[in-house]
Amino acid sequence: MNVVRVDLDAQLLQVEHDGEVRQLPFSSPEAFTAISELWLRIGWDTKYVYGFTWMGRPVIQLPEDLVRMQEVIYRVRPDVLLETGIAHGGSLVYYASLFRAMGHGRVVGVDLEIRPHNRKAIESHEMFDLIDMVEGDSVAPEIVEQVKSAVGTGQRVMVSLDSNHTKAHVLAELEAYAPLVSVGSYIVAADGIMGDLAGAPRSSSDWSWNNPREAVAEFVAADDEFVLDPPMPVFNEGVVDSSLTYWPGGWLRRVK
């Protein structure tokens, strides 16, 4: 168990782990990482990510993850971004707005259930002309085929998996949709942070192994066409080289 003490006068962070005590200056990247781990956990407990919208639609994502995703989208420039998990549609609208600004790209979203009020709001949104939606189980064979038809052929594709977060479901999604990903592009499994949250509010005891990060690790160990490749900042004049993220261990880049 970690014990963290903050000394504001000395501007030091004292971190105790397994009997070892480290003194970390506030100005160190190690102090930033230690505090960030606490911030992410407390943010989960307090439902921090449930407080944001994008162009009027709730977007239940860590803002830092959205910004990092934007950097990758701008670099990869996919023709299509496929996302499993729609909820209120905020991330679909977010990605569509990026494509509008870039003048290129569209979004395909798939969800087991698109609630009528969410569907109505998404279909009436000014970004909807860049959005297609498919309703059904993302790993059901007939839905996979429907999604493939919506994506089309010869497209540069990027995939985000943000639906059912059990290991088995994410692994099935990886196996179903990874073949669509273009070389140099990514398939991203959201919410690998679940592996660090067993015992937290709104968690389950099996999250230590039953999470997207474990699914990604198993998938990449068996498929040499993909490598773990978390995106690094494209601009960084600071001393921090790590990211605040709910998606640790979730980024797979296709290399062949």
Side-chain angles (χ1 to χ4, degrees), residues 55-74:
M55 296 184 70
R57 299 306 301 153
V59 55
I60 306 172
Q61 300 287 2
L62 197 68
E64 285 82 354
D65 283 325
L66 290 178
V67 172
R68 196 67 71 208
M69 190 72 158
Q70 169 272 144
E71 291 179 344
V72 175
I73 288 171
Y74 190 72

Side-chain angles (χ1 to χ4, degrees), residues 70-90:
Q70 169 272 144
E71 291 179 344
V72 175
I73 288 171
Y74 190 72
R75 174 162 54 85
V76 172
R77 295 182 174 268
D79 299 304
V80 182
L81 190 149
L82 166 64
E83 180 171 60
T84 64
I86 291 176
H88 300 278

Side-chain angles (χ1 to χ4, degrees), residues 210-253:
N210 192 15
N211 64 71
R213 186 166 55 191
E214 292 296 317
V216 169
E218 182 171 323
F219 176 83
V220 74
D223 192 325
D224 64 358
E225 293 186 346
F226 289 85
V227 296
L228 284 169
D229 187 21
M232 300 301 294
V234 295
F235 170 81
N236 187 8
E237 291 185 350
V239 298
V240 174
D241 58 5
S242 60
S243 295
L244 296 179
T245 182
Y246 272 10
W247 305 350
W251 289 83
L252 286 173
R253 180 171 55 89

Side-chain angles (χ1 to χ4, degrees), residues 61-250:
Q61 300 287 2
L62 197 68
E64 285 82 354
D65 283 325
L66 290 178
V67 172
R68 196 67 71 208
M69 190 72 158
Q70 169 272 144
E71 291 179 344
V72 175
I73 288 171
Y74 190 72
R75 174 162 54 85
V76 172
R77 295 182 174 268
D79 299 304
V80 182
L81 190 149
L82 166 64
E83 180 171 60
T84 64
I86 291 176
H88 300 278
S91 55
L92 293 184
V93 169
Y94 174 72
Y95 299 138
S97 71
L98 296 178
F99 291 137
R100 174 78 79 220
M102 292 164 59
H104 180 80
R106 61 187 180 89
V107 189
V108 175
V110 56
D111 205 313
L112 180 64
E113 178 188 8
I114 306 172
R115 295 178 179 176
H117 63 281
N118 287 329
R119 179 183 287 277
K120 181 178 179 181
I122 296 166
E123 290 180 345
S124 63
H125 199 278
E126 54 264 51
M127 290 295 136
F128 182 63
D129 61 316
L130 296 179
I131 297 172
D132 292 314
M133 292 187 290
V134 176
E135 186 168 15
D137 184 344
S138 61
V139 298
E142 66 276 13
I143 296 300
V144 173
E145 290 306 311
Q146 190 175 342
V147 170
K148 288 179 179 179
S149 296
V151 168
T153 58
Q155 303 285 289
R156 186 165 182 80
V157 178
M158 184 173 171
V159 177
S160 173
L161 306 177
D162 193 19
S163 60
N164 181 330
H165 295 307
T166 64
K167 178 183 177 181
H169 187 86
V170 175
L171 189 56
E173 286 187 324
L174 286 164
E175 292 168 350
Y177 297 114
L180 296 179
V181 177
S182 308
V183 173
S185 188
Y186 288 82
I187 184 165
V188 189
D191 289 339
I193 195 174
M194 288 169 55
D196 303 321
L197 294 173
R202 300 179 297 110
S203 73
S204 298
S205 58
D206 67 350
W207 278 16
S208 59
W209 64 267
N210 192 15
N211 64 71
R213 186 166 55 191
E214 292 296 317
V216 169
E218 182 171 323
F219 176 83
V220 74
D223 192 325
D224 64 358
E225 293 186 346
F226 289 85
V227 296
L228 284 169
D229 187 21
M232 300 301 294
V234 295
F235 170 81
N236 187 8
E237 291 185 350
V239 298
V240 174
D241 58 5
S242 60
S243 295
L244 296 179
T245 182
Y246 272 10
W247 305 350

